[in-house]
Amino acid sequence: MADPVAHPATSADLRRSATRPTREQYFMLLAVATRERANCLRRHVGAVLVADQRIIATGYNGTPTGFPNCDEGGCHRCSHPESYAEGRGYDICICVHAEQNAVLQAAKLGYSVQGAACYSTLRPCFGCLKELYQSGVSAVRYLNEWTPSDPVEAAAYDSLLGELAGRGVVVAPLELPAELLDLR
């Protein structure tokens, strides 16, 4: 006998990708979903920390807990973009980056990130790369490229990437096939 409470299947319920995502693609898809919580007026970024193939924390960029959001005037850099050149003003931006929020969430919950991998929708900035390394993260996979706009800062960033590579920390892009992002 059919369940009287069951609902008929919809086409959205039946959607299947032509290929099953790899574990890395799966974790990156979760980072893409996580970034949807960001309220930054500029860029939305999501990050997922994974240890032993298990998600231990997520994070997205935004103002600290209890502060007004960017769309409420909480971040001067977002509220007054005309005052800042492209790629400048990060030192006074009040927002916590996605990678920072993920590491902080893991710490609050008592999870070690030693040897963990970070999946981020954007290649982490200089500060986040340092913090991920210092916290013990051993691999960073990112969806979208980011490089400092200033040539001197870009050279320092490249130097940091080289130093991390020399210490065995992988910082590499991860592509997602378009069919995995098709939400129809």
Side-chain angles (χ1 to χ4, degrees):
M1 175 182 251
D3 182 355
V5 182
H7 298 285
T10 66
S11 61
D13 293 333
L14 300 176
R15 185 199 170 274
R16 298 284 188 266
S17 175
T19 58
R20 183 178 186 210
T22 65
R23 282 189 185 264
E24 285 197 318
Q25 291 169 339
Y26 167 70
F27 295 133
M28 186 62 77
L29 286 167
L30 293 172
V32 169
T34 299
R35 78 177 175 189
E36 295 306 310
R37 290 287 304 148
N39 60 23
C40 180
L41 296 176
R42 290 178 174 229
R43 189 184 317 241
H44 291 196
V45 180
V48 174
L49 287 172
V50 176
D52 298 321
Q53 300 300 311
R54 301 279 185 244
I55 298 160
I56 58 172
T58 63
Y60 54 87
N61 58 317
T63 57
T65 303
F67 281 56
N69 290 320
C70 291
D71 57 358
E72 301 166 331
C75 176
H76 192 270
R77 185 171 178 271
C78 281
S79 298
H80 303 284
E82 71 285 351
S83 301
Y84 303 95
E86 184 68 28
R88 306 301 298 170
Y90 291 116
D91 53 338
I92 60 96
C93 177
I94 196 165
C95 291
V96 181
H97 290 190
E99 301 86 355
Q100 293 169 321
N101 266 327
V103 169
L104 292 167
Q105 181 188 40
K108 282 182 182 179
L109 297 173
Y111 294 120
S112 171
V113 298
Q114 189 68 39
C118 178
Y119 294 86
S120 180
T121 58
L122 187 66
R123 185 163 73 169
C125 71
F126 196 95
C128 286
L129 280 177
K130 292 186 309 182
E131 292 161 10
L132 289 167
Y133 173 77
Q134 187 68 12
S135 67
V137 170
S138 62
V140 178
R141 300 301 305 270
Y142 59 89
L143 186 59
N144 297 297
E145 195 72 31
W146 179 86
T147 302
S149 57
D150 179 81
V152 173
E153 292 174 5
Y157 186 78
D158 287 342
S159 179
L160 174 62
L161 289 171
E163 183 71 30
L164 292 172
R167 294 173 180 273
V169 178
V170 174
V171 180
L174 177 68
E175 280 193 42
L176 287 179
E179 63 267 14
L180 290 178
L181 296 171
D182 181 9
L183 299 177
R184 287 180 283 156

